[in-house]
């Protein structure tokens, strides 16, 4: 069985996996990180989204061996201690979750979305970007509001950072 | 998922050797089509040969009037590359309409054309632009490469290495997405080449997969205007029909998308 090494939420991990082990299976069953969910069998729902090598991917459609040598960030890697990540805080603040099943995938997709757009998101872009994430509670309206708020908050903290530097 | 042996070759030659040594080998690129298929038990390779880290498949450059795209280039890379935006912006636009961000981060152009799904987007651009497909063994024009639904000229073990796109004068792609899957219900790529020739390719709609709309090409080569599409008859007998849309619906959609693409191209 292949031996792989990855950095998961900042910690180096080694694992022996089968070729057919999906990344989501390694995360949940192998490493006990059960925040990443599986919601579909068709690679469409996005409940399993994690960040691999800086990019959002569907961990149900990636073999663990394909992530060998890469860094992986899951929902468990966002908060620092008791302090929620600004995106988690925005989801909480704006009631962007009902049952919460889609939430980890939504939040990891948001991390990637904000990064790629450098926190310059408008509503149309957010809605378009959410194409790969489904919420069976249909909480989209508040999810979009939360993402907008998180994006604005991150943009504001960045521009403050620039002023301090300058 | 059925058990298999995973291989990660470091060169094209090694990949072909591993494939040849297997009774039932399969190449893996982005995995966005193959892994779901394997999860459903519809593909059961004994050896899975991962092309994801081959340097021969990684490139994106302009050379002698051609945009050369390595097979392992992801949809996101095509969508965001300044080289593509400069050479063929319609191609970047097309790549950005594939699936969703997470699929685009992994899915590749090589995997898309090797798979030749009748509803995939890239085949329309490859055919309309008259691109050539380079493989580990030979070079094929797009017309010969695509051979009907899910079927290509690729032989057992042959690997798509790069796609060479002639840079057109202008081009545009318009797609009507299936509201659930985002695959094309009808996608039309229109390209005006340097010599004034207009080429039109249609994906998502035809029974035999991607095809060139030659009547539209003739009409648009004579006069490049969306109004030229109006009189053209798209025969529903050649169109796909399924629960998402009837053949007549798709025939109409092809004309609507063609008109929009021509209008974009003139804008
Ligand atoms: C939710 C979802 C939505 C999607 N929406 C769209 C859409 O709107 N439009 C669209 O066009 N596509 C869509 N796709 C498909 C996506 O674009 C795939 O990435 C693509 O079809 C396959 O590329 P891949 O790199 O993932 O290939 P893989 O899945 O790894 O491989 C596909 C096939 O090609 C073969 N292969 C791969 N690379 C090579 C090569 N270099 N040489 C020879 N054979 C090779 C493999 O053996 C396999 O048979 C969607 C997929 C998903 C999961
Ligand atoms: S569980 Fe991965 S996309 Fe649905
Ligand atoms: S909150 Fe229940 S699935 Fe989205």
């Amino acid at each position: 069985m292949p031996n792989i090494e990855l950095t998961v939420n900042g910690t180096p991990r080694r694992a022996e996996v089968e070729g057919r082990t999906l990344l989501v299976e390694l995360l949940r069953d192998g490493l006990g990180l059960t925040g990443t969910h599986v919601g579909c069998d068709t690679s469409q729902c996005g409940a399993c989204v994690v960040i691999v090598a800086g990019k959002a991917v569907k961990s149900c459609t990636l073999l663990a061996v394909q992530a060998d040598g890469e860094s992986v960030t899951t929902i468990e890697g966002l908060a620092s201690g008791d302090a929620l990540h600004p995106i988690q805080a925005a989801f909480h603040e704006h009631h962007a979750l009902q049952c919460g099943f889609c939430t980890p995938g939504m939040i990891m997709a948001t991390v990637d979305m904000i990064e790629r757009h450098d926190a310059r998101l408008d509503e149309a872009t957010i809605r378009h970007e959410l194409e790969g994430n489904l919420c069976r509670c249909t909480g989209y309206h508040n999810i979009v509001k939360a993402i907008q708020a998180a994006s604005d908050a991150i943009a504001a903290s960045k521009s403050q950072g620039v002023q301090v530097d300058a | 998922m059925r058990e298999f042996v995973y291989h990660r070759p470091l060169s094209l030659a090694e990949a072909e050797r591993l494939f040849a040594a297997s009774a039932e080998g399969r190449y893996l690129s982005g995995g966005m089509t193959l892994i779901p298929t394997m999860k459903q038990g519809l593909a059961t390779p004994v050896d899975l040969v991962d092309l994801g880290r081959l340097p021969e498949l990684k490139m994106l450059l302009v050379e002698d009037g051609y945009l050369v795209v390595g097979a392992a280039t992801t949809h996101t890379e095509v969508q965001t590359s300044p080289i593509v935006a400069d050479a063929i912006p319609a191609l970047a636009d097309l790549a950005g309409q594939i699936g969703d961000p997470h699929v685009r981060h992994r899915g590749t152009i090589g995997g898309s054309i090797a798979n030749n799904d009748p509803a995939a987007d890239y085949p329309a651009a490859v055919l309309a632009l008259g691109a050539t497909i380079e493989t580990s063994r030979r070079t094929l024009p797009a017309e010969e490469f695509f051979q009907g639904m899910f079927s290509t000229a690729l032989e057992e073990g042959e690997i798509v290495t790069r796609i060479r796109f002639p840079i057109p004068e202008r081009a545009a792609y318009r797609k009507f997405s299936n509201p659930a899957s985002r695959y094309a219900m009808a996608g039309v790529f229109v390209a005006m080449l340097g010599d004034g020739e207009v080429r039109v390719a249609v994906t998502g709609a035809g029974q035999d997969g991607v095809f060139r709309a030659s009547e539209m090409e003739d009409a648009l080569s004579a006069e490049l205007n969306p109004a030229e599409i109006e009189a053209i008859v798209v025969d529903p007998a050649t169109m796909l029909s399924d629960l998402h849309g009837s053949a007549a619906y798709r025939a109409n959609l092809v004309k609507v998308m063609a008109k929009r693409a021509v209008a974009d191209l003139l804008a």
Side-chain angles (χ1 to χ4, degrees):
Chain A
M1 287 207 294
N3 267 301
I4 62 170
E5 283 179 39
L6 353 131
T7 303
V8 183
N9 299 329
T11 309
R13 308 290 298 248
R14 280 166 190 278
E16 199 177 71
V17 294
E18 289 187 67
R20 63 179 167 177
T21 304
L22 297 168
L23 180 61
V24 69
E25 294 169 345
L26 170 66
L27 292 172
R28 288 181 57 87
D29 307 337
L31 304 178
L33 297 169
T34 52
T36 304
H37 296 160
V38 174
C40 74
D41 218 4
T42 53
S43 310
Q44 265 170 329
C45 77
C48 64
V49 170
V50 301
I51 312 278
V52 174
K55 296 190 185 72
V57 301
K58 290 179 168 171
S59 62
C60 73
T61 316
L62 191 71
L63 302 172
V65 280
Q66 288 179 282
D68 188 10
E70 306 289 3
S71 75
V72 180
T73 308
T74 69
I75 189 73
E76 289 89 349
L78 289 192
S80 40
D82 283 343
L84 290 180
H85 185 279
I87 301 172
Q88 290 173 309
F91 269 63
H92 176 71
E93 181 80 8
H94 293 268
H95 310 288
L97 55 151
Q98 292 169 55
C99 78
F101 193 83
C102 70
T103 312
M106 289 286 181
I107 289 179
M108 298 318 288
T110 305
V111 169
D112 173 79
M113 189 190 304
I114 288 179
E115 169 76 27
R116 273 185 294 111
H117 292 271
D118 200 21
R120 283 193 302 268
L121 289 166
D122 55 38
E123 187 184 331
T125 309
I126 295 169
R127 288 188 183 273
H128 179 69
E129 284 276 341
L130 280 180
E131 230 153 40
N133 295 76
L134 302 178
C135 175
R136 61 188 176 186
C137 300
T138 66
Y140 298 104
H141 194 61
N142 286 353
I143 291 170
V144 172
K145 279 203 279 188
I147 295 174
Q148 182 75 69
S151 157
D152 294 346
I154 289 171
S157 71
K158 269 193 183 175
S159 70
Q160 267 174 5
V162 171
Q163 276 167 14
V164 172
D165 286 345
Chain B
M1 200 186 297
R2 202 84 77 74
E3 230 174 299
F4 55 81
V5 182
Y6 172 83
H7 304 270
R8 186 187 293 154
L10 295 173
S11 74
L12 201 56
E14 191 192 352
E16 282 198 286
R17 258 199 317 276
L18 285 163
F19 190 102
S22 171
E24 218 185 310
R26 196 78 185 247
Y27 291 124
L28 173 69
S29 186
M32 292 300 106
T33 294
L34 186 54
I35 293 176
T37 316
M38 287 167 59
K39 280 161 71 177
Q40 290 173 330
L42 297 173
T44 52
V46 173
D47 293 278
L48 194 65
V49 181
D50 189 351
L51 306 177
R53 299 190 189 193
L54 299 187
E56 292 97 330
L57 308 190
K58 295 250 176 223
M59 70 176 60
L60 190 56
L61 51 94
V62 168
E63 180 183 86
D64 309 328
Y66 289 86
L67 174 70
V68 186
V69 185
T73 310
T74 63
H75 306 329
T76 301
E77 285 162 351
V78 173
Q79 178 188 1
T80 58
S81 155
I83 298 170
V84 180
D86 192 45
I88 318 183
L91 194 64
D93 178 49
L94 175 147
Q97 294 183 50
I98 297 174
D100 59 59
H102 327 309
V103 167
R104 293 197 290 273
H105 281 150
R106 299 291 314 183
T108 67
I109 187 169
S112 175
I113 68 164
N115 195 47
N116 195 15
D117 189 302
D121 295 296
Y122 271 124
V126 171
L127 190 58
L129 290 165
T132 46
I133 290 106
E134 296 178 16
T135 77
S136 48
R137 299 176 194 170
R138 58 199 165 135
T139 298
L140 289 154
E143 269 84 1
E144 280 174 42
F145 182 84
F146 297 115
Q147 299 195 337
M149 272 204 196
F150 296 109
S151 164
T152 69
L154 288 175
E155 293 163 357
E156 206 42 30
E158 189 172 5
I159 299 172
V160 176
T161 53
R162 59 193 73 141
I163 298 97
R164 189 174 284 269
F165 293 96
I167 297 177
E169 203 65 34
R170 293 156 171 209
Y173 180 65
R174 273 301 188 109
K175 159 190 187 181
F176 187 88
S177 299
N178 180 314
S181 76
R182 307 288 166 195
Y183 274 93
M185 298 265 297
V188 180
F189 199 100
V190 180
M192 188 175 109
L193 305 182
D195 57 5
E197 184 195 356
V198 177
R199 288 174 58 121
V200 181
V202 179
T203 189
Q207 275 177 9
D208 298 324
V210 67
F211 67 94
R212 277 177 69 183
S214 46
E215 268 187 77
M216 286 189 193
E217 293 183 341
D218 294 343
L220 294 169
S221 294
E223 198 193 330
L224 193 59
N225 187 320
E228 294 298 306
I229 308 282
E230 205 45 66
I232 289 166
V233 179
V234 177
D235 184 3
T238 62
M239 294 286 111
L240 282 168
S241 178
D242 54 28
L243 81 163
H244 307 295
S246 67
Y249 179 72
R250 277 195 166 84
N252 183 58
L253 217 45
V254 169
K255 281 176 66 167
V256 175
M257 292 303 121
K259 275 192 247 177
R260 288 184 188 170
V262 175
D264 284 357
L265 191 142
L266 291 171

